[in-house]
Amino acid sequence: MKNVLKLLITIAIFYYLFQYIDFYALITVLSKSHGGDILIALVFQMGSTYLAAYRWRAISKLLVFDEPLSFYVNSYFKGSFFNQVLPSSIGGDAVRVLDLTSHGYDKKEAFYGVFVDRVVGLVGLLVLNLFSTIFFFGTFKDSFSYLIILISLAGISGFTLLFFLNKIHFLQHYKFLNLFYRLANRLNSLYKNKTILLKHIGISVGVHLLTLMAIFAIALSIDVKLDFQIFLIAIPPVFLLMIVPLSLAGWGIREGAMVGILMLVYEDKTKILAISILYGLLLIISALPGSYFWIKGISKKTKKIG
């Protein structure tokens, strides 16, 4: 039922977009995209996934999870496959937790590892967006730039505050607030050395830079020659909006947000929509190795049972 609702929301958003965008003009733009640039974008996107898997491994090592990098890369691609390709109730993060528990690790510890990986990834996105907006201030209207700076600072401040919540002991007595209390304890135990935290955030910045380079290459593939700094400022808010799971794999939300934001500096909404659609298709293609790792894992379990 939840996936049906997401599908309806996705269809509704695209229906709204196509009230203002010529469908046949969009098809023409998509058909004329340059394969070489898209191939470069695919390399950047897969590199982003690989680097994200490396970050997850680095965080997991703090939890004393002893698995090779190949395990985390395989699991991350599997998670991407479930997120982007399969309309399943099992999300990519759940797949990663299940992979760890199948190797004998505690379910709660596995959850914390994946959750911290997500949070550190989000902070990296906010840091990148904050510094890009400040450094290239004036690229967008001041009001939009100040909004981005405010949102980024609020998110980073909220993350910083998490480290102090374990000192507010009454939080542990309330069911909902206890989650934040336990998370604060876990973060403080993992990141006693704040240099390690900064390193992990730096890796996250690299992950998002590779993703933005992929989108930039896609833009070039349809002859949209915008400065890279525009993508540094405009795309992270799109990713933030996609965190809310309202549509299937972010389809519709991504397109609507990208058109709405990039039209502040670029008038051709058809080409903006084409960038977003091509990126969505690129995500599906880049996640396909996960299907191989998933089927391979099922085959191994079948052989063990047999």
Side-chain angles (χ1 to χ4, degrees):
M1 183 60 187
K2 184 170 67 173
N3 284 330
V4 173
L5 181 60
K6 287 183 178 181
L7 176 60
L8 291 174
I9 292 173
T10 302
I11 292 172
I13 294 173
F14 273 105
Y15 176 79
Y16 176 79
L17 287 172
F18 285 126
Q19 301 302 302
Y20 302 94
I21 293 173
D22 187 330
F23 177 77
Y24 295 103
L26 175 65
I27 295 300
T28 301
V29 171
L30 291 172
S31 65
K32 291 182 178 180
S33 57
H34 312 307
D37 290 324
I38 292 177
L39 183 59
I40 292 171
L42 180 61
V43 171
F44 282 137
Q45 186 58 44
M46 295 191 77
S48 174
T49 303
Y50 184 90
L51 189 57
Y54 174 81
R55 179 192 63 211
W56 180 32
R57 178 185 182 240
I59 291 170
S60 296
K61 285 179 73 174
L62 298 177
L63 291 163
V64 202
F65 292 170
D66 187 22
E67 297 296 332
L69 177 59
S70 59
F71 166 84
Y72 295 99
V73 172
N74 293 359
S75 185
Y76 223 101
F77 272 103
K78 282 166 62 178
S80 297
F81 177 69
F82 271 78
N83 279 339
Q84 298 299 328
V85 182
L86 296 182
S88 169
S89 59
I90 302 176
D93 289 345
V95 169
R96 293 199 280 151
V97 171
L98 289 172
D99 278 347
L100 283 169
T101 55
S102 68
H103 280 240
Y105 297 109
D106 180 73
K107 185 177 181 180
K108 187 181 291 186
E109 292 296 295
F111 168 79
Y112 274 122
V114 171
F115 186 77
V116 170
D117 176 63
R118 277 292 185 187
V119 171
V120 172
L122 176 60
V123 172
L125 181 67
L126 293 171
V127 168
L128 176 61
N129 205 196
L130 174 64
F131 282 99
S132 297
T133 305
I134 292 173
F135 191 78
F136 297 110
F137 195 87
T139 302
F140 285 81
K141 289 182 178 179
D142 289 0
S143 56
F144 180 76
S145 297
Y146 284 129
L147 178 62
I148 295 301
I149 291 171
L150 179 63
I151 292 172
S152 300
L153 285 174
I156 295 168
S157 299
F159 175 70
T160 305
L161 179 63
L162 271 177
F163 282 89
F164 299 96
L165 290 183
N166 65 330
K167 301 182 186 302
I168 309 175
H169 298 292
F170 77 84
L171 295 178
Q172 62 185 309
H173 302 301
Y174 297 91
K175 188 174 181 179
F176 175 72
L177 296 176
N178 180 256
L179 172 64
F180 295 98
Y181 181 81
R182 287 185 284 117
L183 179 60
N185 279 326
R186 176 58 65 193
L187 284 171
N188 278 286
S189 66
L190 287 177
Y191 291 119
K192 292 176 183 177
N193 184 346
K194 296 301 185 287
T195 302
I196 296 176
L197 173 60
L198 292 176
K199 177 184 175 182
H200 291 175
I201 292 174
I203 294 171
S204 297
V205 170
V207 169
H208 297 301
L209 270 174
L210 285 170
T211 297
L212 294 176
M213 289 167 71
I215 296 174
F216 181 65
I218 287 173
L220 292 177
S221 77
I222 56 172
D223 299 318
V224 175
K225 294 177 175 59
L226 292 173
D227 292 335
F228 184 60
Q229 67 200 51
I230 290 174
F231 294 90
L232 286 172
I233 298 168
I235 302 303
V238 175
F239 291 157
L240 289 176
L241 289 171
M242 288 172 62
I243 291 174
V244 183
L246 292 176
S247 64
L248 287 177
W251 283 95
I253 299 291
R254 177 182 57 240
E255 284 67 39
M258 201 174 291
V259 169
I261 294 175
L262 284 178
M263 277 194 67
L264 296 174
V265 292
Y266 188 73
E267 293 182 356
D268 194 335
K269 52 184 177 292
T270 302
K271 285 195 171 183
I272 297 173
L273 181 58
I275 292 170
S276 187
I277 290 175
L278 284 171
Y279 179 63
L281 295 173
L282 185 82
L283 286 177
I284 292 174
I285 295 170
S286 67
L288 289 179
S291 65
Y292 167 76
F293 299 130
W294 178 45
I295 294 170
K296 185 179 177 183
I298 292 174
S299 299
K300 282 184 178 180
K301 288 179 183 179
T302 304
K303 286 180 181 179
K304 284 183 180 179
I305 293 172

